[in-house]
Amino acid sequence: MGNLATGGTGKTPMTEYLIRLLKNDFKTATLSRGYKRKTVGFAIANEDTTALEIGDEPMQFHQKFPDIAVAVGEERIVAIPQLLHERPETEVIILDDAFQHRWIGRDVDLVVIDQSFVNNQSFFTHNLLPLGDLREGFRSLKRADAIILNRKFLEKEEIKSEMKNCFEGKKIFDGSGNFVSVHLIKGGAAPVDMHGVDAVSGGTITSTGVSEMLQRTISNYLPYFKTVKESSQ
């Protein structure tokens, strides 16, 4: 799971969907960098783990899905063997924000892209870091198996003609955001109602899932995973 640009595009809700899809049939794990955590190196979440130790998004995975392994490690290629050593039963690893980690073999590459970013073709936006916001160019989308174009709260727009060649031959899915109720608890005070974004992806949006089309796309890989699982037993 990854993207091309800096900033949030909806990767975390998409990762949560994949967890829900896979965890009942396979021993599932997630591996993230652990952005802004106060520790370094490899770690697996346990009952005493805090967000300071693994980062806020991995902590969210751990709290929502306590039955899977949630790991962090800056160097994913080093962290994967450590994860498999500590959790040898693992059958599927979801790499959170790892599209640029090209030295790691993977079976499926999903890329989430902000629709407004694609169609905002300013000189600065579509240049590579540090001049622009791109981690790598749009031509790298040729490595993706499927692309989720997240429009968030905007109307759906067609990809501009000058950009269409970057998406040629790819499975593209429409995504949008949905307002949900969020409670902020601070210092023991009463919950405060706020508006938050549940940025899930798919053609028909709900607060907890993605479109049937995207479900079918991911499900196409399940027979492969099951074959691997059976052959290893």
Side-chain angles (χ1 to χ4, degrees):
M1 178 65 58
N3 66 358
L4 296 184
T6 59
T9 58
K11 296 188 303 299
T12 298
M14 204 46 229
T15 298
E16 290 188 2
Y17 167 71
L18 292 178
I19 295 171
R20 291 188 180 96
L21 181 67
L22 296 170
K23 72 182 185 71
N24 291 331
D25 293 310
F26 305 97
K27 299 296 184 182
T28 303
T30 63
L31 177 59
S32 310
R33 175 188 172 188
Y35 182 62
K36 287 193 174 181
R37 60 186 171 125
K38 300 301 182 181
T39 59
V40 295
F42 175 76
I44 294 183
N46 58 50
E47 60 183 12
D48 299 318
T49 297
T50 68
L52 293 177
E53 295 172 305
I54 62 172
D56 56 352
E57 290 177 355
M59 190 65 192
Q60 179 174 307
F61 299 153
H62 179 53
Q63 290 178 332
K64 286 187 175 182
F65 310 102
D67 53 336
I68 73 165
V70 175
V72 295
E74 299 89 346
E75 298 185 53
R76 317 296 171 84
I77 199 167
V78 175
I80 288 175
Q82 292 177 293
L83 170 57
L84 294 175
H85 176 74
E86 294 200 22
R87 300 293 175 88
E89 71 279 8
T90 300
E91 297 170 311
V92 177
I93 300 175
I94 301 172
L95 298 173
D96 177 31
D97 197 9
F99 188 59
Q100 281 72 41
H101 289 255
R102 298 176 64 176
W103 51 86
I104 300 176
R106 73 283 307 275
D107 298 293
V108 184
D109 252 325
L110 300 179
V111 178
V112 185
I113 304 177
D114 190 329
Q115 172 186 271
S116 61
F117 181 83
V118 173
N119 286 334
N120 177 20
Q121 299 179 53
S122 70
F123 175 78
F124 292 102
T125 299
H126 279 200
N127 267 286
L128 295 174
L129 291 166
L131 182 60
D133 294 325
L134 282 175
R135 300 175 176 183
E136 58 180 318
F138 279 95
R139 294 189 183 277
S140 63
L141 290 176
K142 64 184 179 182
R143 305 198 313 271
D145 294 290
I147 299 167
I148 298 92
L149 202 59
N150 188 5
R151 58 187 169 88
K152 298 182 178 178
F153 303 104
L154 303 176
E155 295 295 323
K156 183 178 179 179
E157 298 177 2
E158 292 296 322
I159 299 173
K160 292 185 178 180
S161 57
E162 54 267 40
M163 295 296 297
K164 283 187 176 180
N165 64 316
C166 299
F167 297 84
E168 188 175 357
K170 295 299 177 183
K171 295 178 181 178
I172 302 176
F173 301 96
D174 172 53
S176 67
N178 185 30
F179 281 106
V180 296
S181 177
V182 176
H183 296 280
L184 177 65
I185 302 176
K186 184 177 181 182
V192 179
D193 285 331
M194 300 185 69
H195 282 99
V197 178
D198 190 18
V200 295
S201 302
T204 303
I205 304 303
T206 68
S207 62
T208 57
V210 299
S211 70
E212 292 182 2
M213 290 179 63
L214 186 53
Q215 290 184 40
R216 287 197 296 270
T217 299
I218 303 301
S219 296
N220 286 339
Y221 292 94
L222 294 183
Y224 167 78
F225 288 130
K226 289 179 179 177
T227 300
V228 172
K229 178 180 180 181
E230 292 167 359
S231 63
S232 65
Q233 292 177 342

